[in-house]
Amino acid sequence: MTVSRRLLAVLIGAWLPVLLVYLWWTASAESTNPYFPPLSVIWTRFLELWVFDQVPVHVVPSLQNLAVGYAIAVVAGVGVGAVLGVSRRTARYVEPVVDFLRSIPAVATVPVFIVIFGLDASMRIAAISVAATWPILIATMQGVRATDPTLLDTAAVFRITGAQQLWRVRLPAAQPIIFSGLQLGLQIAFVVTIASEYLGAGFGIGAFTLIATDSFLILDAWTGVILMGLLGYAINIVFDIVERIALRWYIGQKKLA
Amino acid sequence: MSIAGRIPPWIVSMLLALAFWQVAASVGPISDSSIPTAVDSVTTLVQLLGQSETWIALGQTVAIAAIGFALSLLIALPLGILIGLSRFAFTSTKFVFDFFKVIPPIVIIPITILALGPTFQMGVFLVVFGLVFALAIQTAYGVRDADPVLLDTMRAYRQGIVTQIRYARLPSAASFIAVGIRISATAALVIAVVAGLIGGAPGLGRQLLLSQTGGLADQTFAIVLLLGVLGVLVSHGIEWSRRKVIFWEDR
Amino acid sequence: MTAEISIRNVSMEFPTPDGVKHVLNDISYDVNQHHFVSIVGPSGVGKTTLLRLLTGLMKPTSGEIQVHGERISGAPKGLAVVLQDYTRSLMPWLTIEKNIALPLRNQKLGKAETRERIESSLEEVGLSGTGGNYPWQMSGGMQQRASIARALAVRPTILVMDEPFASVDAQTRFDLEDLVLKVRADFGITTLMVTHDIDEAVYLSDEIVVLHGRPAGVRDVVVVDIPFPRSQIETRNDQRFTELRTHVYAMVRGLE
Ligand SMILES: Nc1ncnc2c1ncn2[C@@H]1O[C@H](COP(=O)(O)OP(=O)(O)OP(=O)(O)O)[C@@H](O)[C@H]1O
Ligand SMILES: [Mg+2]
């Protein structure tokens, strides 16, 4: 019963994507438009390039930069955000600057980092980590500020104060809000990863795709776009899974409420 | 109170940040790079603001964002309402919409350059691509969130589908749509800049790209500052209008 | 008998937009060691305020509070609390066990000792074997038991409770009252409890402090001379019980 019902749910969820891909496949089969090659041809080229011939050259460095930059952003965003969340006086002075910096479109900061660092990997990592820090920092600050006063009182009476209170009470209580910042940060990190490769020549999946476009290697460009799309989607899926595990307590609590 | 005590904190902190930048660019580890000083950048910004090209570029960026935003609403709202009305339509389209929602428009820029060239239309297309899926999902969620008791009552009184939409579905969707609009408005501007910077669409993004590739460090920083100011103005404008709306609803 | 807690001429004022709000006026009272004291009074009189002063969460405007003869600043050592709002006083991201373990971190116990404290306090409140659950997976009464277990695990000499049983159903309430009596008998913890329920105050206490007035002062201290052990059915039908509750009730209402 439940098995067949679940199967039905999957079928209802899946028919449209399958249909769309099928339509693309058949509609493009006879295509002579150079910009829209047949999907079957794109697919063959995709397998040649990305399973897994070019992966070590282009995909691995991209993901590496993304991972390192994002990790720095998480540490900096949560760390600074937590301090600002606790100390309102500092926050009053720092917030306007943060507000300004995060209002600059993330991708537009890449040229700034190119001016400072040149075109190498350190530029990419710096751009990724700075851009991704803001949403994490702001979410952490707001979350830490909004801790339920009853929890804080309870902690204080049990002599859980200062750094311990921040680490053991305020930050865990703020997890749901922090995670929304982490998600936004990850999406921005992904975008800046690609932007930094578009703008700084060389390796990486973004650079590969843009160079292919400029050289009218249209098939290669298509495979790059599809690969980036799939990567972007996959990264979100992974994040959702991690979030669901980390916030099990919160999700369970909300379901019962 | 002393005069210093009466200066708003945000001015103090902005000045401090600029001073820090000035020092970092003059001495210290990154002063060797071609990073311009704060004074040079701000001076350049002021000069840029005196040039008509800057205002034209600004206008182009805002126009791309605004037209893309308006088109997205025109497409997404009816679509979202239709999808939200039927459970089958909702579950059928959910995966496709969720998929495209999380794919940032920057990813498809190479293809759009091929198809549309570095044009105004290409910028508008990217904005629509970036907004429409999230807006449609958001609207559909709002429509689905309508009070079931109210809907049952309406059905019991044999109210037609139009009445149901008008008095139950849309009011419930309104707050969802409002959230979607607020997020989309800022996103539209960001995408319009990206379309210029990466895809070569006209506007501030392209100006920025030209400054950077032309080695004009001062101008690069000045344009980024200008984009920051623009971003602050937009987000504060949205916040301001949100307050207005809430005030109006509270009356 | 020695005084475990001394409240000396404590006054409390809150600054508010429309002037200073004088809530407590010159309160003096000694809580004897091993005693169970209830604080009653009309709503908004300042009971919670007095407890917050005792737990060091706020400082009195004037006067002082001593624990073991020493003036407190911040939460005194050896004090544990149970608050009314159990849904918000247990950390929802921690299991019951970890909730109990949290305040024990500062006591630098070994692993085995911590384990033992958790087990024995859960056992004491009748929650053995449920330590792996999250608070929100349990009923209100169980959550309040867990709060009591957390308080007991620190081996407090003073237990402070603010309307601990106000939001549970009547049967659970009786059970929890008896649990508190048992805990008191087992460990001899000095206990201070704020309650709205005068029957409950009479049933549990050695002494009842009645707050009254604006600003509030100690209107009376009622000694409950009903012998222990008490029982829900017999004690509540006792002649003396009825007299005392009538008396306290009248005073809270300002009738006497
Ligand atoms: N932080 C504060 N600032 C201003 N006024 C306060 C503050 N805390 C409490 N008060 C006021 O002090 C008075 C006493 O409050 P308190 O919470 O101690 O009453 P209570 O006896 O516990 O009431 P209840 O039985 O309803 O719990 C109230 O009038 C309240 O408004
Ligand atoms: Mg109270």
Side-chain angles (χ1 to χ4, degrees):
Chain A
M1 177 65 201
T2 50
V3 173
S4 69
R5 200 175 263 185
R6 201 170 285 174
L7 189 69
L8 189 68
V10 170
L11 284 180
I12 294 179
W15 72 266
L16 186 62
V18 171
L19 179 69
L20 287 176
V21 173
Y22 174 79
L23 285 180
W24 183 6
W25 189 280
T26 49
S28 68
E30 308 295 322
S31 166
T32 49
N33 182 332
Y35 299 139
F36 294 97
L39 182 54
S40 55
V41 181
I42 299 177
W43 181 239
T44 315
R45 185 67 182 147
F46 187 91
L47 294 179
E48 273 171 34
L49 284 172
W50 304 119
V51 184
F52 293 92
D53 191 39
Q54 294 294 309
V55 168
V57 189
H58 291 296
V59 181
V60 170
S62 294
L63 292 183
Q64 243 166 19
N65 288 342
L66 174 65
V68 175
Y70 184 60
I72 295 173
V74 171
V75 173
V78 172
V80 179
V83 171
L84 293 182
V86 180
S87 162
R88 271 175 196 271
R89 199 169 333 160
T90 322
R92 267 195 11 181
Y93 286 92
V94 180
E95 257 188 285
V97 178
V98 169
D99 209 35
F100 180 80
L101 291 175
R102 72 138 170 183
S103 299
I104 303 170
V107 172
T109 62
V110 174
V112 166
F113 288 96
I114 294 179
V115 169
I116 301 176
F117 291 94
L119 288 176
D120 57 2
S122 65
M123 173 279 281
R124 299 177 188 190
I125 290 173
I128 295 165
S129 55
V130 170
T133 295
W134 308 125
I136 302 174
L137 187 157
I138 289 165
T140 307
M141 182 174 74
Q142 286 170 349
V144 162
R145 252 181 217 168
T147 319
D148 187 329
T150 312
L151 287 182
L152 293 179
D153 283 353
T154 311
V157 174
F158 284 114
R159 305 157 70 80
I160 299 164
T161 52
Q164 209 185 7
Q165 190 190 74
L166 181 59
W167 182 247
R168 301 254 169 222
V169 182
R170 282 183 183 268
L171 278 174
Q175 269 178 30
I177 301 178
I178 294 176
F179 263 89
S180 67
L182 288 175
Q183 181 165 32
L184 193 53
L186 182 58
Q187 285 162 354
I188 289 179
F190 180 69
V191 167
V192 175
T193 303
I194 294 173
S196 71
E197 293 171 354
Y198 281 162
L199 291 171
F203 48 83
I205 165 89
F208 169 90
T209 310
L210 208 66
I211 292 168
T213 309
D214 291 343
S215 336
F216 284 92
L217 297 171
I218 290 162
L219 267 185
D220 289 7
W222 271 99
T223 67
V225 167
I226 292 173
L227 180 63
M228 285 189 288
L230 293 177
L231 279 178
Y233 186 69
I235 286 168
N236 264 280
I237 296 275
V238 171
F239 184 90
D240 278 347
I241 293 171
V242 172
E243 182 180 35
R244 217 166 292 167
I245 294 170
L247 293 185
R248 223 173 11 194
W249 63 271
Y250 179 72
I251 296 165
Q253 191 185 19
K254 267 210 327 205
K255 255 190 211 144
L256 290 183
Chain B
M1 214 191 264
S2 68
I3 296 174
R6 250 181 280 154
I7 302 173
W10 72 269
I11 292 186
V12 176
S13 51
M14 281 299 182
L15 289 177
L16 281 177
L18 286 174
F20 174 77
W21 173 6
Q22 184 72 20
V23 172
S26 320
V27 292
I30 58 169
S31 59
D32 298 339
S33 70
S34 36
I35 180 173
T37 64
V39 171
D40 290 346
S41 306
V42 173
T43 316
T44 313
L45 174 59
V46 172
Q47 279 166 6
L48 281 180
L49 289 178
Q51 294 167 7
S52 57
E53 295 98 76
T54 312
W55 292 98
I56 292 169
L58 178 67
Q60 283 164 329
T61 297
V62 172
I64 288 175
I67 294 173
F69 178 62
L71 278 178
S72 303
L73 284 179
L74 271 174
I75 301 167
L77 295 190
L79 193 63
I81 290 171
L82 279 180
I83 290 171
L85 285 177
S86 142
R87 198 176 144 122
F88 176 75
F90 185 73
T91 35
S92 296
T93 49
K94 194 169 169 346
F95 176 81
V96 175
F97 276 59
D98 275 338
F99 181 81
F100 284 109
K101 185 182 97 173
V102 299
I103 292 180
I106 194 172
V107 161
I108 62 159
I109 287 182
I111 298 295
T112 47
I113 294 178
L114 288 174
L116 300 171
T119 57
F120 192 91
Q121 292 90 303
M122 174 231 170
V124 173
F125 176 80
L126 282 181
V127 174
V128 173
F129 180 85
L131 303 187
V132 83
F133 300 104
L135 269 174
I137 292 182
Q138 187 78 3
T139 309
Y141 268 118
V143 169
R144 294 205 65 71
D145 195 52
D147 180 3
V149 178
L150 181 60
L151 285 174
D152 281 347
T153 316
M154 286 183 157
R155 283 190 201 111
Y157 284 99
R158 299 183 180 283
Q159 302 287 334
I161 183 80
V162 177
T163 318
Q164 285 180 36
I165 294 177
R166 171 71 187 81
Y167 291 103
R169 299 292 193 175
L170 284 187
S172 110
S175 63
F176 283 75
I177 296 173
V179 172
I181 286 179
R182 215 162 359 117
I183 297 169
S184 300
T186 354
L189 190 69
V190 170
I191 300 169
V193 172
V194 173
L197 179 61
I198 311 283
L204 284 174
R206 181 153 75 190
Q207 300 298 101
L208 178 59
L209 179 67
L210 294 176
S211 315
Q212 183 244 310
T213 50
L216 304 171
D218 294 6
Q219 197 170 312
T220 305
F221 275 67
I223 293 176
V224 170
L225 282 181
L226 179 58
L227 288 171
V229 173
L230 194 61
V232 169
L233 286 180
V234 168
S235 60
H236 280 237
I238 291 167
E239 180 61 19
W240 177 82
S241 53
R242 189 179 69 95
R243 289 227 189 91
K244 278 266 153 179
V245 170
I246 289 174
F247 174 71
W248 171 69
E249 280 174 352
D250 278 352
R251 273 197 303 192
Chain C
M1 270 201 272
T2 49
E4 179 121 31
I5 308 169
S6 300
I7 305 168
R8 296 274 165 84
N9 309 104
V10 162
S11 292
M12 189 66 195
E13 292 169 358
F14 291 108
T16 66
D18 2 283
V20 171
K21 188 164 192 178
H22 196 170
V23 175
L24 298 177
N25 185 40
D26 196 28
I27 307 253
S28 291
Y29 178 69
D30 279 3
V31 185
N32 286 330
Q33 213 166 12
H34 310 312
H35 259 199
F36 195 118
V37 174
S38 290
I39 300 168
V40 299
S43 189
V45 76
K47 305 182 294 290
T48 299
T49 305
L50 185 57
L51 276 205
R52 289 177 65 83
L53 293 171
L54 281 168
T55 50
L57 290 171
M58 298 187 308
K59 283 193 169 50
T61 318
S62 66
E64 65 178 48
I65 292 165
Q66 299 175 347
V67 171
H68 299 300
E70 263 182 59
R71 182 188 189 142
I72 64 163
S73 62
K77 260 195 186 136
L79 183 142
V81 284
V82 175
L83 297 176
Q84 170 188 346
D85 202 347
Y86 49 79
T87 51
R88 285 160 59 200
S89 76
L90 291 165
M91 318 284 158
W93 58 90
L94 296 177
T95 59
I96 295 299
E97 274 170 5
K98 298 210 169 118
N99 262 289
I100 299 175
L102 185 60
L104 298 179
R105 297 188 152 269
N106 286 335
Q107 303 197 347
K108 308 253 179 305
L109 309 168
K111 256 211 175 106
E113 169 80 1
T114 305
R115 192 72 254 155
E116 202 281 317
R117 291 267 188 106
I118 295 171
E119 298 293 339
S120 65
S121 53
L122 279 175
E123 160 118 51
E124 179 73 23
V125 301
L127 282 183
S128 289
T130 63
N133 289 328
Y134 286 96
W136 40 268
Q137 293 172 318
M138 307 171 95
S139 70
M142 284 165 90
Q143 289 183 45
Q144 204 54 310
R145 280 169 198 272
S147 305
I148 297 172
R150 175 176 62 184
L152 293 180
V154 303
R155 300 279 149 90
T157 54
I158 303 169
L159 180 62
V160 168
M161 304 192 280
D162 191 358
E163 303 198 29
F165 313 135
S167 13
V168 296
D169 62 85
Q171 183 54 49
T172 311
R173 185 168 191 142
F174 282 169
D175 292 347
L176 290 173
E177 285 168 7
D178 286 336
L179 170 63
V180 167
L181 278 185
K182 175 167 97 93
V183 165
R184 217 277 296 246
D186 289 356
F187 301 104
I189 305 173
T190 308
T191 311
L192 259 165
M193 178 179 77
V194 163
T195 179
H196 263 127
D197 184 334
I198 288 160
D199 286 35
E200 178 172 280
V202 177
Y203 179 61
L204 293 174
S205 311
D206 296 299
E207 279 182 8
I208 301 172
V209 178
V210 183
L211 294 184
H212 197 86
R214 256 164 224 274
V218 178
R219 183 179 175 96
D220 195 7
V221 175
V222 179
V223 176
V224 182
D225 47 3
I226 302 173
F228 288 93
R230 298 175 185 171
S231 95
Q232 293 284 4
I233 294 170
E234 276 158 39
T235 308
R236 282 175 193 268
N237 284 320
D238 192 307
Q239 171 82 38
R240 187 68 188 136
F241 182 91
T242 319
E243 283 168 23
L244 283 167
R245 66 173 282 230
T246 312
H247 174 62
V248 176
Y249 186 77
M251 270 192 309
V252 169
R253 282 308 200 70
L255 299 176
E256 249 176 52

